[in-house]
PDB file of all heavy atoms in Angstrom:
ATOM      1  N   LEU P  36     156.550-144.512 167.288  1.00  0.00           N
ATOM      2  CA  LEU P  36     155.643-145.529 166.767  1.00  0.00           C
ATOM      3  C   LEU P  36     154.303-144.878 166.444  1.00  0.00           C
ATOM      4  O   LEU P  36     153.712-144.199 167.280  1.00  0.00           O
ATOM      5  CB  LEU P  36     155.443-146.639 167.801  1.00  0.00           C
ATOM      6  CG  LEU P  36     154.405-147.721 167.456  1.00  0.00           C
ATOM      7  CD1 LEU P  36     154.809-148.479 166.204  1.00  0.00           C
ATOM      8  CD2 LEU P  36     154.240-148.685 168.632  1.00  0.00           C
ATOM      9  N   THR P  37     153.837-145.083 165.211  1.00  0.00           N
ATOM     10  CA  THR P  37     152.534-144.562 164.794  1.00  0.00           C
ATOM     11  C   THR P  37     151.649-145.726 164.370  1.00  0.00           C
ATOM     12  O   THR P  37     152.078-146.590 163.596  1.00  0.00           O
ATOM     13  CB  THR P  37     152.685-143.573 163.620  1.00  0.00           C
ATOM     14  OG1 THR P  37     153.515-142.474 164.040  1.00  0.00           O
ATOM     15  CG2 THR P  37     151.329-143.025 163.198  1.00  0.00           C
ATOM     16  N   LEU P  38     150.417-145.733 164.867  1.00  0.00           N
ATOM     17  CA  LEU P  38     149.460-146.798 164.573  1.00  0.00           C
ATOM     18  C   LEU P  38     148.288-146.200 163.798  1.00  0.00           C
ATOM     19  O   LEU P  38     147.657-145.254 164.270  1.00  0.00           O
ATOM     20  CB  LEU P  38     148.960-147.446 165.860  1.00  0.00           C
ATOM     21  CG  LEU P  38     150.043-147.953 166.829  1.00  0.00           C
ATOM     22  CD1 LEU P  38     149.403-148.429 168.132  1.00  0.00           C
ATOM     23  CD2 LEU P  38     150.854-149.072 166.187  1.00  0.00           C
ATOM     24  N   VAL P  39     148.009-146.751 162.631  1.00  0.00           N
ATOM     25  CA  VAL P  39     146.890-146.294 161.810  1.00  0.00           C
ATOM     26  C   VAL P  39     145.710-147.250 162.014  1.00  0.00           C
ATOM     27  O   VAL P  39     145.791-148.427 161.668  1.00  0.00           O
ATOM     28  CB  VAL P  39     147.266-146.243 160.319  1.00  0.00           C
ATOM     29  CG1 VAL P  39     146.075-145.753 159.493  1.00  0.00           C
ATOM     30  CG2 VAL P  39     148.472-145.346 160.093  1.00  0.00           C
ATOM     31  N   ARG P  40     144.656-146.760 162.639  1.00  0.00           N
ATOM     32  CA  ARG P  40     143.435-147.531 162.909  1.00  0.00           C
ATOM     33  C   ARG P  40     143.763-148.904 163.504  1.00  0.00           C
ATOM     34  O   ARG P  40     143.429-149.949 162.918  1.00  0.00           O
ATOM     35  CB  ARG P  40     142.600-147.691 161.638  1.00  0.00           C
ATOM     36  CG  ARG P  40     142.036-146.404 161.097  1.00  0.00           C
ATOM     37  CD  ARG P  40     141.095-146.637 159.923  1.00  0.00           C
ATOM     38  NE  ARG P  40     141.759-147.228 158.796  1.00  0.00           N
ATOM     39  CZ  ARG P  40     142.432-146.555 157.863  1.00  0.00           C
ATOM     40  NH1 ARG P  40     142.508-145.231 157.941  1.00  0.00           N
ATOM     41  NH2 ARG P  40     143.011-147.169 156.863  1.00  0.00           N
ATOM     42  N   PRO P  41     144.352-148.945 164.706  1.00  0.00           N
ATOM     43  CA  PRO P  41     144.758-150.236 165.280  1.00  0.00           C
ATOM     44  C   PRO P  41     143.641-150.989 166.001  1.00  0.00           C
ATOM     45  O   PRO P  41     143.849-152.123 166.417  1.00  0.00           O
ATOM     46  CB  PRO P  41     145.849-149.829 166.271  1.00  0.00           C
ATOM     47  CG  PRO P  41     145.421-148.470 166.738  1.00  0.00           C
ATOM     48  CD  PRO P  41     144.781-147.806 165.534  1.00  0.00           C
ATOM     49  N   GLY P  42     142.472-150.366 166.187  1.00  0.00           N
ATOM     50  CA  GLY P  42     141.414-151.023 166.939  1.00  0.00           C
ATOM     51  C   GLY P  42     141.735-151.020 168.429  1.00  0.00           C
ATOM     52  O   GLY P  42     142.467-150.159 168.934  1.00  0.00           O
ATOM     53  N   ASP P  43     141.220-151.994 169.163  1.00  0.00           N
ATOM     54  CA  ASP P  43     141.460-152.097 170.607  1.00  0.00           C
ATOM     55  C   ASP P  43     142.791-152.811 170.812  1.00  0.00           C
ATOM     56  O   ASP P  43     142.867-154.041 170.888  1.00  0.00           O
ATOM     57  CB  ASP P  43     140.308-152.873 171.259  1.00  0.00           C
ATOM     58  CG  ASP P  43     140.454-152.938 172.771  1.00  0.00           C
ATOM     59  OD1 ASP P  43     141.261-152.157 173.318  1.00  0.00           O
ATOM     60  OD2 ASP P  43     139.779-153.775 173.393  1.00  0.00           O
ATOM     61  N   TRP P  44     143.866-152.051 170.900  1.00  0.00           N
ATOM     62  CA  TRP P  44     145.199-152.632 170.831  1.00  0.00           C
ATOM     63  C   TRP P  44     145.932-152.732 172.160  1.00  0.00           C
ATOM     64  O   TRP P  44     146.792-153.593 172.341  1.00  0.00           O
ATOM     65  CB  TRP P  44     146.068-151.824 169.865  1.00  0.00           C
ATOM     66  CG  TRP P  44     146.310-150.407 170.309  1.00  0.00           C
ATOM     67  CD1 TRP P  44     145.461-149.353 170.176  1.00  0.00           C
ATOM     68  CD2 TRP P  44     147.486-149.900 170.957  1.00  0.00           C
ATOM     69  NE1 TRP P  44     146.019-148.212 170.695  1.00  0.00           N
ATOM     70  CE2 TRP P  44     147.265-148.515 171.182  1.00  0.00           C
ATOM     71  CE3 TRP P  44     148.681-150.473 171.368  1.00  0.00           C
ATOM     72  CZ2 TRP P  44     148.212-147.704 171.806  1.00  0.00           C
ATOM     73  CZ3 TRP P  44     149.635-149.674 171.977  1.00  0.00           C
ATOM     74  CH2 TRP P  44     149.393-148.293 172.198  1.00  0.00           C
ATOM     75  N   ARG P  45     145.620-151.881 173.124  1.00  0.00           N
ATOM     76  CA  ARG P  45     146.379-151.866 174.395  1.00  0.00           C
ATOM     77  C   ARG P  45     145.830-152.952 175.337  1.00  0.00           C
ATOM     78  O   ARG P  45     145.140-152.683 176.318  1.00  0.00           O
ATOM     79  CB  ARG P  45     146.316-150.478 175.010  1.00  0.00           C
ATOM     80  CG  ARG P  45     147.406-150.212 176.079  1.00  0.00           C
ATOM     81  CD  ARG P  45     148.751-150.038 175.436  1.00  0.00           C
ATOM     82  NE  ARG P  45     149.810-149.939 176.429  1.00  0.00           N
ATOM     83  CZ  ARG P  45     150.355-148.786 176.842  1.00  0.00           C
ATOM     84  NH1 ARG P  45     149.945-147.646 176.319  1.00  0.00           N
ATOM     85  NH2 ARG P  45     151.314-148.773 177.740  1.00  0.00           N
ATOM     86  N   THR P  46     146.120-154.186 174.996  1.00  0.00           N
ATOM     87  CA  THR P  46     145.605-155.342 175.716  1.00  0.00           C
ATOM     88  C   THR P  46     146.709-155.956 176.591  1.00  0.00           C
ATOM     89  O   THR P  46     147.895-155.635 176.435  1.00  0.00           O
ATOM     90  CB  THR P  46     145.119-156.404 174.722  1.00  0.00           C
ATOM     91  OG1 THR P  46     146.249-156.877 173.973  1.00  0.00           O
ATOM     92  CG2 THR P  46     144.069-155.819 173.766  1.00  0.00           C
ATOM     93  N   PRO P  47     146.344-156.873 177.516  1.00  0.00           N
ATOM     94  CA  PRO P  47     147.388-157.562 178.291  1.00  0.00           C
ATOM     95  C   PRO P  47     148.410-158.272 177.411  1.00  0.00           C
ATOM     96  O   PRO P  47     149.600-158.301 177.730  1.00  0.00           O
ATOM     97  CB  PRO P  47     146.568-158.557 179.125  1.00  0.00           C
ATOM     98  CG  PRO P  47     145.236-157.907 179.296  1.00  0.00           C
ATOM     99  CD  PRO P  47     144.993-157.200 177.996  1.00  0.00           C
ATOM    100  N   GLU P  48     147.952-158.858 176.291  1.00  0.00           N
ATOM    101  CA  GLU P  48     148.882-159.518 175.370  1.00  0.00           C
ATOM    102  C   GLU P  48     149.898-158.525 174.815  1.00  0.00           C
ATOM    103  O   GLU P  48     151.097-158.823 174.738  1.00  0.00           O
ATOM    104  CB  GLU P  48     148.106-160.151 174.215  1.00  0.00           C
ATOM    105  CG  GLU P  48     149.011-160.823 173.190  1.00  0.00           C
ATOM    106  CD  GLU P  48     148.292-161.184 171.899  1.00  0.00           C
ATOM    107  OE1 GLU P  48     147.186-160.654 171.663  1.00  0.00           O
ATOM    108  OE2 GLU P  48     148.839-161.969 171.119  1.00  0.00           O
TER     109      GLU P  48
END
Side-chain angles (χ1 to χ4, degrees):
L36 174 62
T37 300
L38 307 174
V39 180
R40 294 186 297 275
D43 184 15
W44 64 280
R45 198 73 186 261
T46 65
E48 178 193 16

